[in-house]
Amino acid sequence: MSSPPSPQARSPPTRSARAIAEKFPWAGYRTLADIGCAEGALPAQILLAHPHLSATGFDLPAARTGFEQYTARLGLADRVTFTAGDFFHDDLPAADVLVFGHVLHNWPPEDRLRLLRRAHRALPEGGAVLIYETLIDDERRDNAIGLLLSLVMQLEVPGGSDYTGAECHRWLTAAGFTDPRTEHLDGPESMVVAVK
């Protein structure tokens, strides 16, 4: 399941993807799965930067053609696979790192926690989950874009909203993850990372 199109205020997908490729410690992992991958911009940028990695894109069946065409144009067809599924009902792909980009904000907190528990079950010991969104700052004072986008989400998606890094840390801990940390990516976007 992919998130709705991103409002213009967000960073272009490749800028955040490149920041994730640079800032996450990919050297310690071999595989990743992008949950709600759409055309595959995130795994593509990571694979271009890290030749030792392979990736799976996981999304509804309608995303397959766009994903395969986009990653093939970048010369990555031999390092990516696409798995069709619904992340609330189907098993998540096996990988060392599971990525949720602009996914959790589409759902109410109880569904976010349910997805993170599914991610915890799917990951091997030592695996990591990486979530990136337009996070609201913990004090709810500085990231005006995050606050405005949260209002938009609440109007457009029942139960949806943006959230703070601290809230995400609590969900990750409740799902069984340890050592959650938040790191700025680009523009108003940040990532939250935790390990199993």
Side-chain angles (χ1 to χ4, degrees):
M1 301 181 110
S2 297
S3 55
S6 298
Q8 296 247 342
R10 291 198 175 114
S11 298
T14 53
R15 284 176 40 190
S16 286
R18 287 180 186 140
I20 290 169
E22 292 172 11
K23 294 183 177 195
F24 184 81
W26 293 107
Y29 301 95
R30 306 294 299 174
T31 58
L32 71 122
D34 186 9
I35 310 302
C37 63
E39 80 283 351
L42 175 83
Q45 291 302 316
I46 294 170
L47 295 187
L48 288 170
H50 300 280
H52 72 285
L53 290 170
S54 61
T56 299
F58 184 84
D59 211 324
L60 296 173
R64 179 187 297 273
T65 300
F67 178 89
E68 291 177 346
Q69 290 175 349
Y70 180 82
T71 53
R73 278 198 309 273
L74 295 174
L76 299 169
D78 61 336
R79 295 171 56 205
V80 298
T81 58
F82 181 88
T83 301
D86 177 327
F87 50 55
F88 281 119
H89 302 291
D90 298 310
D91 291 338
L92 299 181
D96 299 330
V97 181
L98 295 181
V99 179
F100 292 87
H102 300 287
V103 169
L104 297 186
H105 71 170
N106 290 313
W107 310 100
E110 60 271 19
D111 286 335
R112 298 170 190 175
L113 181 55
R114 185 159 59 115
L115 284 174
L116 294 175
R117 285 180 171 143
R118 291 174 64 81
H120 190 271
R121 286 194 300 271
L123 284 165
E125 288 299 322
V129 64
L130 188 160
I131 299 155
Y132 70 99
E133 304 258 18
T134 305
L135 294 179
I136 300 170
D137 59 287
D138 290 344
E139 293 77 26
R140 296 178 180 269
R141 286 190 311 221
D142 298 325
N143 191 347
I145 291 173
L147 291 166
L148 290 171
L149 289 176
S150 186
L151 290 174
V152 171
M153 289 299 299
Q154 290 176 43
L155 292 171
E156 293 183 353
V157 183
S161 67
D162 284 279
Y163 49 87
T164 68
E167 289 173 308
C168 192
H169 289 201
R170 288 194 293 273
W171 302 325
L172 287 162
T173 301
F177 289 98
T178 61
D179 303 320
R181 64 180 174 85
T182 301
E183 186 170 351
H184 178 254
L185 291 172
D186 183 81
E189 296 199 340
S190 295
M191 67 177 176
V192 180
V193 177
V195 296
K196 179 174 176 177

